């Protein structure tokens, strides 16, 4: 079952790469803020129908969760806005290598401290080495 989840994660990563290129082009045509808005608006419509037919029917429970748990939408909007802004300037690969570096640094902190109710996974020497290789990749992607 772990391979299924890993395959889904890889597919999501591929989708993010396509999304970055598509949104970058959209931002060039309609404007950065407008492109981010259109992307989120279309995504909202799709998710509305998906949750309507496949959801648990507990959408109203969002009013009872801790307010910090609603921050995901703000963070997602920030991510889409930044990608719409930087992809035309840096390219898809450079932009995503930087995003992935940021994701791994922050997710390592989240795991290490068990933030947001997650499992604690200590930051060890192996992860430190992997992070070093990641930043080497980032440097190689960005050097001219």
């Amino acid at each position: 079952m772990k391979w299924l989840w890993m395959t889904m994660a890889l597919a999501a990563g591929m989708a993010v790469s396509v999304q970055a290129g598509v949104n970058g082009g959209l931002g060039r045509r309609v404007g950065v803020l407008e492109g981010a808005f259109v992307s989120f608006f279309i995504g909202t419509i799709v998710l509305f129908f998906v949750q309507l037919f496949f959801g648990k029917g507990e959408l109203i429970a969002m009013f009872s969760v801790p307010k910090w748990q609603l921050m995901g939408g703000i963070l997602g909007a920030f991510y889409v806005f930044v990608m719409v802004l930087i992809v035309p300037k840096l390219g898809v690969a450079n932009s995503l290598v930087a995003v992935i570096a940021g994701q791994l640094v922050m997710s390592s902190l989240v795991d290490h401290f068990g933030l947001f109710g997650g499992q604690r996974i200590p930051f060890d020497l192996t992860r430190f080495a992997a992070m070093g290789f990641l930043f080497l990749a980032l440097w190689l992607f960005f050097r001219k």
Side-chain angles (χ1 to χ4, degrees):
M1 194 61 153
K2 203 173 198 177
W3 285 104
L4 174 63
W5 303 134
M6 188 62 68
T7 302
M8 288 177 67
L10 287 170
M14 290 176 187
V16 166
S17 297
V18 172
Q19 177 198 31
V22 168
N23 282 347
L26 178 65
R28 277 194 304 269
R29 295 290 305 263
V30 302
V32 173
L33 286 171
E34 294 81 357
F37 173 77
V38 168
S39 179
F40 253 78
F41 183 69
I42 292 170
T44 299
I45 291 170
V46 169
L47 285 174
F48 171 76
F49 285 107
V50 170
Q51 70 83 33
L52 192 63
F53 294 106
F54 301 106
K56 294 180 180 179
E58 298 179 21
L59 189 59
I60 204 76
M62 74 175 187
F63 294 108
S64 63
V65 301
K67 299 307 174 223
W68 65 266
Q69 290 181 344
L70 301 176
M71 191 171 57
I74 295 168
L75 295 171
F78 174 71
Y79 166 76
V80 170
F81 168 75
V82 169
M83 293 306 284
V84 170
L85 178 67
I86 69 171
V87 165
K89 296 167 178 46
L90 300 179
V92 174
N94 286 347
S95 299
L96 285 175
V97 167
V99 165
I100 291 166
Q103 287 176 327
L104 286 175
V105 167
M106 193 56 163
S107 62
S108 293
L109 290 170
V110 169
D111 282 351
H112 181 76
F113 293 107
L115 302 176
F116 312 117
Q119 176 185 356
R120 287 194 71 205
I121 303 171
F123 191 80
D124 58 10
L125 192 56
T126 303
R127 286 178 175 236
F128 183 76
M131 198 74 65
F133 285 121
L134 175 69
F135 280 98
L136 174 62
L138 183 63
W139 179 75
L140 289 171
F141 264 86
F142 274 90
R143 76 180 203 155
K144 296 276 177 191

